[in-house]
Amino acid sequence: MERETVVLGLETSCDETAAAVVARGADGRGRILSNVVRAQWEQHRRFGGIVPEIAARAHVECLDEIIAEAMRTAALDFAALDAVAVTGGPGLIGGLLVGVMTAKAIALVHKLDFIAVNHLEAHALTVGLTEDLAPPYLLLLISGGHTQLLIVRGVGDYQRLGTTIDDALGEAFDKTAKLLGLGFPGGPAVEQAALTGRAGRFPLPRPMLGREAPHFSFAGLKTAVRHQAQALVPLREKDVADLCADFEAAVAESVSDRVRRAMAITDERLGARQQRHLVVAGGVAANRRLREALATVAASAGYQLHVPPASLCTDNAAMVAWAGAERLARGWADGLDFQARARWPLDPSATPALGAGKQGAKA
Ligand code: KG4
Ligand code: ZN
């Protein structure tokens, strides 16, 4: 019979330094004992985006402290842990190395299992930590680095249906915010500005609408926003608000169309089933306009929509610890010879979706 396991998770793949302790009960249910996240926005803000070297150095400086805080909050010492799980990729290699080296050292010193977790898998399984929802389900992952539609068939079993051929959705929000003179990170700033704007004033494209494969594209949309903005210089507050509202409307329509297509493919592949689920993960899942659009799509297609709480949708280590616990329960620990991977596709059999001017789609 299974017993409860306790896993320390570390996340350093991008610009958040995070550590968390999660317990997985004998019944397979998860419990968060601590979840510490330190964002690095302040260090990157004046550059208007993430600088990899600054991110790596910031992880080195604060990871030990964050781990100590996670252990203190969980009121545990290292001897009480079963394993240490760490994001092994994909991501910025400098940050990944910091996390992986630290996790290996902890595993070695305290004789714990070491588990390298794919960051996308961590996002994909998060819903199992907060809801009693087991695969299969359709996953829409929308973050600053990733935009994917995947069928989660089971732990370690993923089929990628679609990806972006250029920018990630969060990246499109961030770049749009930057060109309109709004803050960083851009998603919340665009959402806030759009609240006072009215959609319908600017003719923006709806990228990829009606395409067979459920891929995404956002570079053209962002460029269209730039052209509209340039034609209006100097921009008034109302112009920015209306542009943001139209940008969100275009995103919502494009993403809804792509999700509808992915649902049709999922239904073909998984066949008839009692319950059909759409899970949304990643930082952009916080966007209310998009959530409303997805709720409409889900309702009309007979799917239940699941959006984990915002603090677990954005990058965090609880999701890494949980994915680690799920892997450990299946006996899938890794060797200490594991090497961090800047690229690490969840579904290695998926063919790259190439876009104009791009050599390959992001993992
Ligand atoms: O998942 P996440 O925290 O980090 C990555 O793995 O990338 O996602 C961060 C992204 C950023 O691009 C941010 O602008 C976007 O999520 N984001 C939003 C909102 N909140 C965060 N985008 C649109 N609307 C929001 N409310
Ligand atoms: Zn992420």
Side-chain angles (χ1 to χ4, degrees):
M1 202 180 98
E2 279 189 49
R3 59 177 184 88
E4 181 177 82
T5 51
V6 184
V7 178
L8 167 68
L10 309 182
E11 161 60 44
T12 57
S13 68
C14 192
D15 62 335
E16 274 97 9
T17 314
V21 181
V22 165
R24 183 183 182 281
D27 58 0
R29 299 266 175 99
R31 199 156 47 90
I32 299 176
L33 305 182
S34 64
N35 188 15
V36 184
V37 182
R38 187 174 299 172
Q40 305 174 356
W41 294 336
E42 285 313 319
Q43 286 98 313
H44 299 282
R45 194 184 298 276
R46 69 193 171 102
F47 301 101
I50 296 159
V51 183
E53 284 74 14
I54 293 178
R57 194 165 310 166
H59 291 307
V60 172
E61 279 165 12
C62 73
L63 183 57
D64 287 348
E65 211 178 292
I66 302 267
I67 293 170
E69 192 181 331
M71 296 300 290
R72 214 167 33 240
T73 309
L76 292 176
D77 56 35
F78 287 100
L81 299 173
D82 293 282
V84 51
V86 61
T87 300
L92 300 172
I93 194 68
L96 290 171
L97 285 169
V98 175
V100 168
M101 294 291 283
T102 306
K104 284 180 183 175
I106 293 173
L108 199 63
V109 171
H110 299 285
K111 301 187 173 53
L112 306 174
D113 277 321
F114 167 84
I115 302 163
V117 169
N118 183 311
H119 182 86
L120 306 178
E121 175 170 63
H123 276 301
L125 299 180
T126 302
V127 71
L129 177 56
T130 54
E131 293 180 44
D132 195 14
L133 178 66
Y137 48 80
L138 175 63
L139 177 83
L140 171 66
L141 172 59
I142 38 178
S143 71
H146 308 282
T147 303
Q148 301 203 347
L149 278 158
L150 294 157
I151 300 177
V152 178
R153 286 176 167 269
V155 176
D157 187 0
Y158 310 95
Q159 280 184 346
R160 200 199 70 193
L161 303 181
T163 186
T164 179
I165 62 168
D166 41 54
D167 293 349
L169 183 50
E171 193 181 355
F173 269 95
D174 293 336
K175 288 179 175 171
T176 297
K178 195 172 175 182
L179 73 92
L180 294 177
L182 301 170
F184 172 81
V190 169
E191 174 160 34
Q192 187 61 32
L195 288 178
T196 56
R198 279 220 352 235
R201 181 173 155 199
F202 300 100
L204 297 179
R206 268 49 176 166
M208 310 296 269
L209 220 63
R211 296 276 185 97
E212 186 73 9
H215 293 314
F216 301 86
S217 166
F218 298 107
L221 175 58
K222 170 202 67 195
T223 306
V225 172
R226 178 183 300 119
H227 287 309
Q228 296 289 349
Q230 278 166 349
L232 288 173
V233 169
L235 289 174
R236 292 169 306 147
E237 208 171 302
K238 175 85 179 106
D239 299 327
V240 172
D242 288 346
L243 265 169
C244 287
D246 263 322
F247 172 78
E248 279 196 344
V251 164
E253 198 175 328
S254 172
V255 173
S256 297
D257 176 73
R258 310 291 61 215
V259 169
R260 226 177 272 119
R261 181 71 202 117
M263 284 172 167
I265 298 173
T266 305
D267 291 341
E268 269 166 36
R269 296 211 187 153
L270 296 183
R273 55 209 194 280
Q274 297 259 305
Q275 304 265 342
R276 300 186 298 165
H277 302 278
L278 170 66
V279 176
V280 190
V284 189
N287 188 276
R288 267 158 288 177
R289 176 81 188 72
L290 192 55
R291 278 159 83 139
E292 283 165 20
L294 291 169
T296 306
V297 173
S300 69
Y303 271 68
Q304 282 177 38
L305 177 67
H306 305 262
V307 188
S311 62
L312 295 175
C313 274
T314 54
D315 284 351
N316 65 88
M319 67 179 190
V320 178
W322 174 245
E326 287 283 73
R327 297 188 79 81
L328 186 68
R330 289 156 181 82
W332 299 343
D334 294 280
L336 291 181
D337 56 348
F338 174 87
Q339 301 285 331
R341 303 174 187 172
R343 285 177 160 268
W344 186 359
L346 253 195
D347 176 0
S349 68
T351 48
L354 296 180
K358 271 276 172 175
Q359 293 181 332
K362 289 186 177 182

